[in-house]
Amino acid sequence: MRFAIVAALAVSVAAQAPAPAADTILVNGHVVTVDRAFSIAQAIAITGGRFTAVGADAAIRKLAGPKTTTIDLRGQTVIPGLADGHLHDAGGGPGVDLSRARSIADILAAVAARVKASRAGDVIVSNSDWHEAQLKEHRLPYRADLDPVSPDNPVVLVRGGHEYILNSAALQKWNITKDTPQASGGRITRDARGELNGELVDRAKALVQLPPAPKLTIDALQEQHRKLNAAGLTSIRYPGASVEQYRLLQDMARRGVLTIRVSQLLRLGADSAEAIRSAIAASGVKPDEGDEWVRIGGMKLGVDGGFEGGWMREPYAEPWGEHGTFRGVNTMQAAAYTEVVRELNRLGWRVATHAVGDAAIDEVLAAYEAANADQSIAGKRWAIEHGFIPQADQFPRIKALDLVISAQNHLYLAGPSLVSYWGAKRAAWTTPVRAYLDRGFVVAGGTDSAVVPYPPLWVIYHFVTRDTISGGVLGADQKISRTQALQIETINNAYLTFEERVKGSIETGKLADLVVLPEDILSCPAKNIEQMAIAMTMVGGKIVYQRP
Ligand SMILES: [Zn+2]
């Protein structure tokens, strides 16, 4: 009897004891929680790396103890940590940097400088993070441009993930001539007179063997992640990388040096059921393994090219359409692709497929439907990566398969190029986020960095305005609201990786990932969203970036 009373007393004392003091409180702010009601708060408490209270200043201040760090936001805006659902890397590297070039002359000057510093025969390679839309000429530099500045050294300009441009010395080095047959899934481009212009697209790039890239290291990844944190990113999804990279990221998590949460899709490059089975077995990786820092998010496949190779139902605009015959590049044909997709479904893997053009989306839907007939994929959050040009007849099929759309702001960068490749109508329809949302799809946003620069605020700006860097507004009917754009960059990305219960909004119990902005992103002039400098980024309650 006595024991029972003591026990009851102990319980009631514990219930009345004040909650342990918060590690950190942020007060005097405009907190855009992105919870279901899109509620606005003033203050936040963080304990043990998670949000432990969200509410009014007075209530949150009561949670401070003697060791609590108090951050006075001085009226600044707080949003959940931003995510990028499709980010390869942050750009940069040892190649010739063309990211700041604004004209063909700038590109040639950068190449000429490297030639001067090189020995005879050295192969000169550029970084991939540039696009011709940033050049005042709005066109690629070609072989004829490159030859005068590098008559002897082979030059390979790498542009994004789908394209090389070679000078004559490089074409010669790899024996590429007018007689070289067109590879399936690739393209060796010619100019109006039928001469090679030096451009190799998709699988034609395999004709060239570049010097090996420097080995990826923890230092290099940390440096990239610091840049991403400074842009407001707290979560990224690598859309297809190696097992080695995944192991490196796990090592970083163990050492406590990761400053960004990572979901990685594996890309194993297998063309048959048997090849994918053995590649998975060799990887030692299990579907969806991992934790809140590093996790496996499925398997990445691809069926078409990019800006200059997206596979379309209708031909490209002339002259790219080559008299109505060129519809883009099919990089993995239906039979092999479908076989791999069905096998992955049998093995319990979910699939995310790069598909840009409507014909590519047709191929993806047919394969996903075949897999779904074997064993339902609904609720498993399979994805279409990019989904630039969906057609009305495809929406009900996407709905039936319960797919997530992983969409990026390519149009922001490449608008004028897309108008010339695909014509004004298709360019304006590129990545129709409004259409996707109106039909009830979950859209997760990103950049495809380093194809498009990584700032997530540029994604929000582009999606709410449809403005582009150098081509004006394209597809104004596809504008979405700021609240929708914020959801796309936060909670929808968490949904894509099955983590909407642990992150993506500022709610009690969730991981304390947040960004502080100097202005109210919901009401400031739209152009300010593009120009805004991040004030602070927190991941798991720790400051990973603070504006100096
Ligand atoms: Zn990509």
Side-chain angles (χ1 to χ4, degrees), residues 236-383:
I236 52 174
R237 175 168 170 268
Y238 285 122
S242 65
V243 177
E244 292 70 36
Q245 177 173 319
Y246 174 60
R247 297 295 178 211
L248 215 51
L249 290 161
Q250 284 183 310
D251 197 13
M252 291 173 75
R254 268 192 299 273
R255 296 187 198 185
V257 298
L258 258 188
T259 61
I260 200 159
R261 304 184 194 280
V262 177
S263 173
Q264 182 179 311
L265 304 178
L266 284 187
R267 177 142 209 173
L268 299 177
D271 269 2
S272 70
E274 199 192 321
I276 196 76
R277 257 197 318 274
S278 56
I280 289 170
S283 77
V285 177
K286 303 227 161 23
D288 293 301
E289 68 173 42
D291 59 20
E292 67 205 35
W293 282 105
V294 183
R295 60 198 294 122
I296 287 292
M299 200 67 72
K300 170 78 182 299
L301 299 171
V303 298
D304 70 343
F307 302 131
E308 51 293 305
W311 192 34
M312 302 286 180
R313 289 180 181 177
E314 302 297 326
Y316 277 42
E318 299 301 334
W320 312 102
E322 296 180 0
H323 312 292
T325 60
F326 184 70
R327 297 193 296 119
V329 177
N330 180 206
T331 57
M332 189 170 184
Q333 286 176 12
Y337 171 69
T338 305
E339 181 182 325
V340 170
V341 166
R342 291 179 66 185
E343 185 63 16
L344 286 168
N345 191 34
R346 276 185 217 114
L347 295 171
W349 283 82
R350 64 203 154 98
V351 179
T353 307
H354 167 115
V356 163
D358 43 11
I361 297 172
D362 282 335
E363 179 175 339
V364 171
L365 293 177
Y368 284 9
E369 283 161 355
N372 188 56
D374 297 338
Q375 190 180 321
S376 173
I377 65 167
K380 295 184 180 170
R381 304 181 191 178
W382 285 33

Side-chain angles (χ1 to χ4, degrees), residues 91-400:
V96 179
D97 177 16
L98 302 179
S99 63
R100 286 175 194 84
R102 292 295 175 264
S103 65
I104 302 270
D106 289 351
I107 290 204
L108 299 181
V111 172
R114 186 62 66 99
V115 170
K116 223 172 147 193
S118 303
R119 288 163 307 183
D122 282 354
V123 176
I124 289 158
V125 181
S126 80
N127 289 342
S128 62
D129 45 340
W130 62 281
H131 190 273
E132 60 273 23
Q134 76 196 38
L135 309 176
K136 72 169 194 267
E137 294 88 351
H138 286 171
R139 71 162 177 92
L140 285 170
Y142 291 111
R143 160 195 192 179
D145 300 301
L146 294 167
D147 281 348
V149 291
S150 186
D152 304 316
N153 289 80
V155 175
V156 181
L157 301 185
V158 180
R159 213 251 25 228
H162 298 270
E163 171 123 7
Y164 292 165
I165 305 106
L166 280 63
N167 68 346
S168 294
L171 287 170
Q172 201 175 4
K173 178 178 171 69
W174 285 289
N175 272 319
I176 303 164
T177 69
K178 276 163 65 173
D179 299 327
T180 306
Q182 291 286 2
S184 156
R187 188 187 198 206
I188 305 168
T189 309
R190 290 155 188 260
D191 64 21
R193 290 167 315 163
E195 300 295 324
L196 299 187
N197 62 12
E199 184 186 18
L200 305 179
V201 179
D202 286 301
R203 291 206 176 192
K205 295 192 307 176
L207 295 166
V208 171
Q209 290 81 45
L210 294 185
K215 216 168 155 281
L216 195 61
T217 61
I218 287 183
D219 284 348
L221 281 168
Q222 271 190 281
E223 191 190 319
Q224 297 210 5
H225 293 167
R226 272 196 290 271
K227 288 191 204 171
L228 303 179
N229 291 148
L233 288 165
T234 62
S235 289
I236 52 174
R237 175 168 170 268
Y238 285 122
S242 65
V243 177
E244 292 70 36
Q245 177 173 319
Y246 174 60
R247 297 295 178 211
L248 215 51
L249 290 161
Q250 284 183 310
D251 197 13
M252 291 173 75
R254 268 192 299 273
R255 296 187 198 185
V257 298
L258 258 188
T259 61
I260 200 159
R261 304 184 194 280
V262 177
S263 173
Q264 182 179 311
L265 304 178
L266 284 187
R267 177 142 209 173
L268 299 177
D271 269 2
S272 70
E274 199 192 321
I276 196 76
R277 257 197 318 274
S278 56
I280 289 170
S283 77
V285 177
K286 303 227 161 23
D288 293 301
E289 68 173 42
D291 59 20
E292 67 205 35
W293 282 105
V294 183
R295 60 198 294 122
I296 287 292
M299 200 67 72
K300 170 78 182 299
L301 299 171
V303 298
D304 70 343
F307 302 131
E308 51 293 305
W311 192 34
M312 302 286 180
R313 289 180 181 177
E314 302 297 326
Y316 277 42
E318 299 301 334
W320 312 102
E322 296 180 0
H323 312 292
T325 60
F326 184 70
R327 297 193 296 119
V329 177
N330 180 206
T331 57
M332 189 170 184
Q333 286 176 12
Y337 171 69
T338 305
E339 181 182 325
V340 170
V341 166
R342 291 179 66 185
E343 185 63 16
L344 286 168
N345 191 34
R346 276 185 217 114
L347 295 171
W349 283 82
R350 64 203 154 98
V351 179
T353 307
H354 167 115
V356 163
D358 43 11
I361 297 172
D362 282 335
E363 179 175 339
V364 171
L365 293 177
Y368 284 9
E369 283 161 355
N372 188 56
D374 297 338
Q375 190 180 321
S376 173
I377 65 167
K380 295 184 180 170
R381 304 181 191 178
W382 285 33
I384 293 177
E385 301 295 317
H386 312 315
F388 278 21
I389 308 291
Q391 297 297 349
D393 58 285
Q394 293 171 329
F395 289 125
R397 298 170 70 192
I398 296 173
K399 192 87 209 159

